Amino acid sequence: MDKNVVLIGMMGSGKTTIGRELSRKTGMEFIDLDELIERRAAMSIPEIFQTMGEAYFRQLESEVLEEIMSARHAVIATGGGVVLSAENRQRLRELGLVVWLDAPADVLLERIGDDPNRPLLSRSQPLKKLTQLLHERRDLYAETSDIHLDTTELTKDEIVERIIEELEKRSADEDDVFNTIVAIDGPVASGKSSLAKKVAKRLGFFHIDTGAMYRCVTYEAMRRGIPLDDAEALIELAHSLDIRYEEQPGEAPNRVFLNGEDVTEQIRAPEVSRNTSPVADIPGVRTELVRLQRQMALRGRCVLDGRDIGTVVVPEARWKFYVVASLDERVRRRMLQHQQEGHAVDIRQLREDIIERDRRDRIRTHGALRLAPTATILDTTDIPLEEAVEIVASIVAGALALK
Ligand code: DC
């Protein structure tokens, strides 16, 4: 494949060392952004900082990045602060597969040792400074990268192997992004979210829970006291919100961030669930959120779950599933879920809520719950979740030759 690999992360994350090794093993050209900057300025990086200041360094960094946009089949090591500019983040994403080499501040410091060529750390208390920089940049690294690699426990060779594995996984069949998009639709509590979450983990794909976006708009409206029948205000709100998902290690589900605040638990409260249906009915709110969902989906290698994924959000997705389960089973599952999350539940109310939300999901004028023509129906009433995960994941993995 002629894609580039871009390594981002903090100072001390190993971008240059890993980059060189990856280049040696794959035969890809190695480009070190810092080296290009030094050559251009005819000065070392600490000298640039000392004599010209950080702003000048950032300017050179952007210029050099612009110049390498035509690179093909290269491993590119960047400077830790390259993600600070939105324009650069966009450039990095366009360049190729972006790998974030991550590690906690103390590990970074240990790796850096007392290297004098680290201008941003030259003042006292380097651990404090590193912690602060990492805190400031984490979201930007997350937003820019396709792969988040926690390198704390990994050796250099293991990191390089992981990246090569990821590259191989993405080859051939993946040139068509729609081959790597899995759309899972279904009614309330049919198990689609749990299924999507686990299938994504199995395949190493990103899980996009689209219901969480409608919940975020509703939750924020409730907090701000915006009436839930004020369509104009809700559309404006949907447009203005910054909604992101952050991948978690192991089996832990993604966390949902609303304007930078972790609202994963709050948006699941029964009152938010009840109020979300009418908000999701508003065509303008859907337009805003569908745009965001499609944008996220087109990055590929993802599993989306919702009501209108296979029909409206990404009808081109190669993998479409329509998950169903009996009403009794769905009430039982939702009750268990609420109990586990510590929310009080009244089973009769829950049943009525589900019936009402189903009804609204099916009759809304835009984005109604419908079976997409090429979707596979999966009835999960009598099969355990793990089995459903196995069915979906093996179909996709088998066809894409993933592990
Ligand atoms: O899947 P969920 O229960 O988290 O969804 C919350 C609400 O959002 C639900 O009332 C249906 C609505 N929704 C939607 O209309 N379209 C989607 N793609 C996802 C959810």
Side-chain angles (χ1 to χ4, degrees), residues 188 192-193 209-212 214-215 268 273 276-277 280 286 293 305-309 334 357 361 364 367:
V188 183
K192 61 192 180 325
S193 254
D209 167 3
T210 62
Y214 292 95
R215 288 171 181 270
R268 304 255 144 233
S273 300
T276 302
S277 254
R286 304 198 71 86
Q293 291 156 14
D305 77 88
R307 306 292 189 285
D308 54 349
I309 310 302
R334 204 28 74 98
R357 288 172 61 206
D361 279 348
R364 68 168 55 95

Side-chain angles (χ1 to χ4, degrees), residues 13 23 55 75 109 130 134 158 191-192 218 228 259 338 346 368 401:
S13 58
S23 147
V75 180
L109 190 63
L130 262 178
L134 188 55
E158 284 169 341
K192 61 192 180 325
T218 310
L228 298 177
N259 288 341
H338 281 321
D346 168 346

